Amino acid sequence: MTTSTVPPVPAVPTVPTSRLRIALAQLNTSVGDIDGNCDKIVDWTGRAAAAGADIVAFPEMAVVGYQVDDLALRKSFVRASRTALDALAGRLAEAGHGDVVAVVGYLDGSEATERRSGRPPGSPQDAMAVLHRGRVIVRSTKHHLPNYGVFDEFRYFVPGDTLPVVRVRGVDVAIAICEDLWQDGGPVSAARDARAGFLLSINASPYELDKDDVRLELVRRRAAEAGCALAYVNQVGGQDELVFDGDSVVVRADGEIIARGGQFTEELITFDVDAARADGLPPAGPVADGITVDHVLVSDGPAPEREPIAAPISERVSDEAEIWGALVLGLRDYVRKNGFRSVVIALSGGIDSALSTAIACDAIGPENVYCYSMPSKYSSEHSKGDAAEMARRTGVHFGTVPIEPMVRAFLDTVGESVQQLTGVAEENLQARVRGTTLMALSNQSGHLVLANGNKSELAVGYSTLYGDAVGGYAPLKDLFKVRVWELARWRNKAARERGEVPPIPENSIAKAPSAELRPGQLDTDSLPDYPMLDRLLDLYVEQDQGRDALIAAGFDEEVVDRTLRLVDLAEYKRRQYPPGTKITGKAFGRDRRLPITNAWRERSLRP
């Protein structure tokens, strides 16, 4: 009898690791408030130090805020950013936080003529710096510059061609800036070639619906490409039309989530990660895509023994809850950061003004919301009653200003002096008297006027310039009408689940929408029903589908032609509309930009 022997399986060599403790500071910064932003960075570095963090990372451009737009072209602004960054290193050391490695985004200026761009010395750069023990130990500049959607960074910045790699506790930590993660190649490929044990990305990524899922997929893919765990820290807060939702996330090389921050809240996300210890120095000179590794040694010894911490993994919420969070934060920060304390709204009893009021109450408190019913002779009793009921439920300040005497005086004066106003001119006069009244109250009391228009109305020009279009901010600007109804129902349901009074009267949700500018008027007198209209607008506005594609999708040819004509002719109105929170992938304004003077009309391309 013979026996066979199975050869032993060779042991898989274990890679020495070191445990890093990293804190991601998901901050709400303010554009231009350099002193205030730096104060926050000092404060939150202290929190990271108290948690025992080896590294704390702040969002892209944290020193100056993001987006700075043409402020980047002001040499005085660039100098102020650089000066503040240098002073910040000293402030952190003086506060006793110098041993924490702080990764901070800021605005820089190039030192010399950039061979890659031909820009002169001093041209702006979207940069980051690593601060340690009172010094700036390394600086680097964003490599990939986005120039799509809301971004216009080729207009401002000079690209960089270095990848900073900072060795902390024996782990080589590579650092990238926002778009460097979104584009193939560049710093991610360089991090792999540099054998980085950890990849850190600082970001200012604006919110739009479903972007949290897109980010997670991206981060997982880049972690696999880099061959190491990856942390993505994002800013939070409102900046004009944009809202930044946070949603900072950390994944292992295999895509498993280690930690994840919440949306629309400032947080310090602190976690432990076991990362591969460096084996020798990273490669010198250019690596992937011509990027040069800039290596700095902070510490080579192992981390001290300490109790592991439980990293937070925030739960995801429904689409409606996510959108509501964006709308509330966008309005709150627009009010707060622009120095307002209160808002004023024309409360008609309809769904749009009701939803705007509910958002404002959640954003700044009902005690800071002033609502006025401004009935005309055509206003229905149920509209006046619904407005009063909304005010009662929410506790906002409420008053009634009848506009008929003002409208009649205007009509009589113009009729005696020039000619009688009738039809649309008379209808729109009512809206303009309301707009004038709101602006007068704003001037008198310092309120910010909120415009109530939604995306469906703005798309087809169903608003009155200097009437219902007046205002400083438009919370519903990027919400199609059907979404307005969905959010109203969701907000009422959320209130009932918390044992609260639903803020929006059911009649405001259920009744057929009407501007009530003439007897018996309904929106459907002029427009297709909103579910059909919104589907059509989604294809034409959001997806840039042409006439033939819309008809092929099943829409009536006459409806398509009439709707497209309304959309195309209303561009001049949209240009004059207030800013409003971006929710979709193609918001009017920064995302969708068309000429006002434009002879192109969609027509059949078929022979």
Side-chain angles (χ1 to χ4, degrees), residues 137-152:
I137 62 173
V138 68
R139 302 173 192 259
S140 184
T141 301
K142 189 188 227 176
H143 177 70
H144 291 297
L145 300 178
N147 209 58
Y148 54 85
V150 302
F151 304 106
D152 198 10

Side-chain angles (χ1 to χ4, degrees), residues 439-516:
M439 292 307 301
L441 293 169
S442 170
N443 291 156
Q444 181 65 34
S445 301
H447 308 311
L448 173 70
V449 179
L450 299 187
N452 295 323
N454 60 67
K455 190 168 189 173
S456 304
E457 295 170 348
L458 294 181
V460 296
Y462 200 64
S463 63
T464 302
L465 281 178
Y466 326 118
D468 54 301
V470 304
Y473 201 75
L476 314 185
K477 183 178 181 180
D478 202 26
L479 298 178
F480 286 121
K481 185 76 171 190
V482 169
R483 181 71 79 179
V484 170
W485 278 311
E486 290 172 351
L487 285 176
R489 296 187 187 99
W490 173 86
R491 182 61 182 85
N492 277 2
K493 179 183 176 184
R496 285 192 293 269
E497 290 173 349
R498 293 195 294 263
E500 301 169 354
V501 175
I504 301 172
E506 288 302 321
N507 196 42
S508 293
I509 299 174
K511 65 186 174 185
S514 169
E516 294 191 331

Side-chain angles (χ1 to χ4, degrees), residues 16-337:
T17 61
S18 184
R19 177 165 294 175
L20 290 178
R21 179 163 296 177
I22 300 175
L24 307 180
Q26 187 170 284
L27 288 196
N28 186 341
T29 56
S30 297
V31 166
D33 185 10
I34 293 176
D35 291 342
N37 294 338
C38 286
D39 289 344
K40 274 196 164 186
I41 292 170
V42 173
D43 176 26
W44 286 71
T45 301
R47 302 185 195 193
D54 303 307
I55 301 172
V56 60
F58 293 91
E60 179 181 11
M61 302 274 269
V63 168
V64 295
Y66 187 89
Q67 293 175 330
V68 297
D69 294 335
D70 279 16
L71 281 174
L73 303 177
R74 294 191 188 177
K75 288 183 168 56
S76 58
F77 190 62
V78 175
R79 284 196 302 271
S81 172
R82 295 184 57 148
T83 300
L85 189 278
D86 291 336
L88 184 60
R91 289 184 61 188
L92 292 176
E94 291 168 5
H97 313 321
D99 286 340
V100 180
V101 176
V103 180
V104 181
Y106 74 109
L107 176 67
D108 205 347
S110 61
E111 297 289 350
T113 302
E114 293 290 328
R115 60 178 174 80
R116 298 182 63 192
S117 67
R119 300 274 187 94
S123 294
Q125 295 174 309
D126 185 337
M128 77 91 217
V130 178
L131 315 181
H132 185 245
R133 293 184 177 174
R135 296 186 305 114
V136 178
I137 62 173
V138 68
R139 302 173 192 259
S140 184
T141 301
K142 189 188 227 176
H143 177 70
H144 291 297
L145 300 178
N147 209 58
Y148 54 85
V150 302
F151 304 106
D152 198 10
E153 294 197 359
F154 275 121
R155 173 181 172 87
Y156 303 113
F157 301 129
V158 170
D161 55 8
T162 63
L163 175 74
V165 177
V166 182
R167 184 166 295 177
V168 182
R169 307 286 191 196
V171 177
D172 280 343
V173 179
I175 306 170
I177 304 175
C178 203
E179 191 70 14
D180 292 341
L181 223 61
W182 290 85
Q183 301 298 326
D184 292 333
V188 175
S189 297
R192 179 197 60 226
D193 289 356
R195 304 188 300 276
F198 191 82
L199 178 56
L200 174 62
S201 176
I202 65 171
N203 304 269
S205 174
Y207 168 79
E208 60 190 51
L209 184 60
D210 296 329
K211 197 170 186 181
D212 56 339
D213 297 328
V214 174
R215 285 196 201 106
L216 180 58
E217 180 184 345
L218 170 76
V219 168
R220 283 173 163 158
R221 187 167 69 251
R222 297 309 187 206
E225 291 171 8
C228 61
L230 189 159
Y232 180 104
V233 59
N234 191 29
Q235 79 171 34
V236 68
Q239 172 58 33
D240 295 345
E241 302 99 326
L242 302 182
V243 171
F244 300 87
D245 59 323
D247 188 37
S248 302
V249 64
V250 188
V251 301
R252 302 188 199 279
D254 63 4
E256 180 185 353
I257 296 175
I258 297 173
R260 193 167 192 180
Q263 289 180 284
F264 313 113
T265 60
E266 285 191 309
E267 290 184 28
L268 188 72
I269 300 107
T270 308
F271 61 94
D272 290 337
V273 61
D274 292 322
R277 289 183 59 83
D279 180 15
L281 294 176
V287 287
D289 292 344
I291 291 177
T292 300
V293 173
D294 190 355
H295 188 262
V296 177
L297 174 64
V298 171
S299 57
D300 222 355
E305 290 292 331
R306 52 193 169 190
E307 287 294 318
I309 58 173
I313 300 179
S314 296
E315 293 184 5
R316 301 297 91 186
V317 298
S318 68
D319 286 354
E320 291 80 9
E322 189 178 292
I323 293 170
W324 194 265
L327 295 170
V328 167
L329 180 57
L331 177 58
R332 178 188 298 137
D333 273 7
Y334 193 86
V335 170
R336 178 177 62 86
K337 292 180 180 181

